[in-house]
Amino acid sequence: MAYADTLPDNVRRKARILAISSAVSGCISEVMLDYSAIIILLFTMLNASPTVTMFSSSLTGIMGVFLLIPYAYVVDKIGLKRAVEYACYIGCTGFLMIAVSPLLGRFAIPVALAGTFIYCSQRSLYGSAWYPLLDNFLRADERGKFFSTMRTCYMFFNGVLLFVLGVLLDKKPSILILQITIAAAGLCVLIRWFCIKQFPVDPELKTGNYRFRESLITSVRNAPLTGFSVYQCILVLASTTLLPLTLIYLRKYVHMEPGKVQLLSSIGIGGSICGYFLYGFVTRRVKLKWLELTVHLLFLILAFLLFYLDCRMPGFTVCVGTIIFLNAIATSWMLCNNSVEYLALARPGNKTMAISFCSTYSNLGAAIGRTGSSLLLGGVLLAPQWTFAGRTISVYQSIFLISGLIAVLALALIPILPSFVPEHEDYYKPGK
């Protein structure tokens, strides 16, 4: 019997409320970096190149590739809660560095990048501890509903916050407003630690007895775990560039006003809210395998639509807003699917390593996708412009086309997903 099954209902309910509270406060900074135009606008106001701006959005993936598996060892050595405590202090420091960077003259861009680097480095430490912490009080049948509720709450809060900020920027674009917002988001990371330190943790869960090599080998030999990880790497590679590259495209190529770009990114957050809210209902009516296939096809179609759109088309802004909205729904469902699959695939006694193993592959896809896009934007491999069917295609649209083609190739991996072939000799315990 799992430890979560031994806890009274009121204890598990309080833990779920604390987890949601920690997500609402701690994810303000994450949403700003992953979904919002705030950090992108700050870098553009500092006159950073599109390559540098896109690279800043890739740092989470890069850090995850190199740090998630080593941090699985660190987390076991120092304990789940201590790891989160350190991560929160580091994350707060990184965002405060980003906030003060515009005051530093010619050092502004390097300091902003360094702050982003520091912040992104702690996300791997926090991520290595987060799912094992949840597993202490989440029963298998509660996972889908919990992830839906938790992410709906923090995305709704952030959506309202960033929509208001977009309105303020539309009236008077100000780097000071961005600085204050970023600094406040960094300080809110500390509230995350206040909530998480109250989580119940299995007293039998010991630290310091971790066998790194054996645990890694166990994960590698778990066929469903490895197959899902490889698939996720390629799907994330195809999809991770869509939102940040769209925002940079609108600002740098279309020359859309900063406030309007931020408002469009708020539409994306609205899409995430809808996606997370609907996820709990959808999973009760649709099997996980069909939901995973739907998400894949959505990413594929949206990438080709972004390639096809021309900024001179009537209704261009409405079309882009719709694409951003649908992309956010697809991303939210993908993240919830991943969370459910991570806990279903992670063998008891090997959860920290198994989850870190899966997350490493997802971060590898994000790192390759976003770093590759930043290099393509600043390199000579792609023509700045070319003609297709009488239309001028920008380098941004070329990258959207590449993303779509990668998504098409990744369809071949769908049959290896554990949700499609759930009967394995290896460990796989879905919630339903």
Side-chain angles (χ1 to χ4, degrees):
M1 179 180 293
Y3 178 67
D5 296 317
T6 68
L7 295 176
D9 289 344
N10 64 316
V11 173
R12 289 186 294 103
R13 182 167 54 250
K14 179 183 177 181
R16 292 196 300 270
I17 293 172
L18 286 169
I20 291 170
S21 301
S22 74
V24 169
S25 56
C27 288
I28 297 174
S29 52
E30 294 185 6
V31 170
M32 279 188 185
L33 192 63
D34 295 340
Y35 298 94
S36 168
I38 298 298
I39 303 299
I40 288 173
L41 288 177
L42 180 74
F43 274 96
T44 57
M45 287 183 177
L46 295 176
N47 296 318
S49 68
T51 299
V52 171
T53 305
M54 189 67 195
F55 178 72
S56 70
S57 73
S58 71
L59 287 173
T60 295
I62 294 173
M63 294 295 99
V65 172
F66 294 104
L67 295 179
L68 271 166
I69 290 179
Y71 273 157
Y73 174 77
V74 173
V75 166
D76 182 80
K77 280 296 189 182
I78 66 177
L80 296 172
K81 290 187 176 181
R82 184 63 59 84
V84 170
E85 180 182 9
Y86 291 162
C88 290
Y89 292 146
I90 295 169
C92 178
T93 300
F95 246 58
L96 291 178
M97 287 178 63
I98 300 172
V100 302
S101 63
L103 306 175
L104 302 178
R106 63 192 180 93
F107 297 106
I109 294 176
V111 171
L113 272 176
T116 308
F117 180 92
I118 290 171
Y119 176 81
C120 292
S121 68
Q122 63 81 30
R123 294 181 70 174
S124 298
L125 180 60
Y126 167 75
S128 295
W130 174 240
Y131 287 107
L133 277 168
L134 294 181
D135 200 50
N136 282 275
F137 58 83
L138 275 186
R139 293 197 311 235
D141 60 334
E142 297 171 334
R143 293 168 185 166
K145 183 179 178 181
F146 170 78
F147 288 121
S148 172
T149 303
M150 179 191 72
R151 287 174 169 146
T152 299
C153 289
Y154 78 66
M155 289 303 294
F156 178 79
F157 177 82
N158 280 282
V160 173
L161 175 67
L162 294 171
F163 179 81
V164 171
L165 184 61
V167 173
L168 293 174
L169 287 172
D170 195 41
K171 292 179 178 178
K172 185 181 179 181
S174 170
I175 199 167
L176 179 61
I177 294 176
L178 293 180
Q179 289 179 269
I180 293 172
T181 305
I182 293 169
L187 293 173
C188 284
V189 176
L190 300 180
I191 301 176
R192 167 186 277 172
W193 164 236
F194 174 79
C195 296
I196 289 179
K197 70 179 181 180
Q198 302 178 63
F199 282 9
V201 175
D202 186 354
E204 299 298 320
L205 189 64
K206 305 298 183 182
T207 61
N209 59 350
Y210 195 66
R211 296 183 177 182
F212 179 86
R213 183 173 177 274
E214 289 82 350
S215 185
L216 180 58
I217 291 173
T218 299
S219 297
V220 171
R221 289 177 175 173
N222 186 335
L225 181 78
T226 305
F228 181 77
S229 299
V230 172
Y231 168 77
Q232 270 303 305
C233 177
I234 300 176
L235 181 61
V236 171
L237 168 61
S239 63
T240 189
T241 62
L242 297 184
L243 177 62
L245 190 62
T246 299
L247 298 176
I248 296 171
Y249 165 67
L250 294 175
R251 187 70 189 101
K252 288 290 189 178
Y253 186 79
V254 182
H255 302 296
M256 191 174 284
E257 297 85 354
K260 189 173 289 186
V261 174
Q262 175 54 33
L263 287 173
L264 283 172
S265 73
S266 297
I267 290 174
I269 293 174
S272 295
I273 295 169
C274 290
Y276 290 134
F277 178 76
L278 293 172
Y279 185 80
F281 297 99
V282 173
T283 52
R284 287 197 292 270
R285 293 163 175 81
V286 180
K287 289 186 177 181
L288 182 59
K289 63 180 181 179
W290 301 124
L291 188 54
E292 288 175 332
L293 179 60
T294 300
V295 167
H296 190 126
L297 292 176
L298 260 178
F299 282 135
L300 186 157
I301 293 168
L302 295 176
F304 285 128
L305 284 176
L306 285 168
F307 163 72
Y308 175 77
L309 278 182
D310 189 293
C311 59
R312 294 179 293 273
M313 288 179 174
F316 170 78
T317 302
V318 174
C319 291
V320 170
T322 303
I323 289 173
I324 289 174
F325 184 83
L326 293 174
N327 179 72
I329 289 179
T331 301
S332 64
W333 286 358
M334 180 181 72
L335 292 175
C336 286
N337 289 342
N338 290 356
S339 298
V340 171
E341 290 283 48
Y342 286 175
L343 292 177
L345 288 163
R347 187 187 300 275
N350 196 46
K351 290 186 180 292
T352 304
M353 175 57 75
I355 293 168
S356 295
F357 182 84
C358 286
S359 299
T360 296
Y361 274 83
S362 292
N363 280 273
L364 178 62
I368 295 173
R370 295 195 175 189
T371 304
S373 296
S374 69
L375 294 175
L376 290 173
L377 286 174
V380 295
L381 291 177
L382 296 179
Q385 291 183 337
W386 54 286
T387 303
F388 174 77
R391 296 169 47 241
T392 299
I393 306 298
S394 69
V395 65
Y396 299 94
Q397 291 163 288
S398 298
I399 298 174
F400 293 140
L401 175 61
I402 293 171
S403 296
L405 294 174
I406 293 173
V408 170
L409 295 175
L411 282 173
L413 296 177
I414 285 282
I416 72 171
L417 295 183
S419 58
F420 278 77
V421 189
E423 297 300 326
H424 288 278
E425 294 181 2
D426 298 283
Y427 184 86
Y428 182 60
K429 301 294 181 184
K432 61 176 183 177

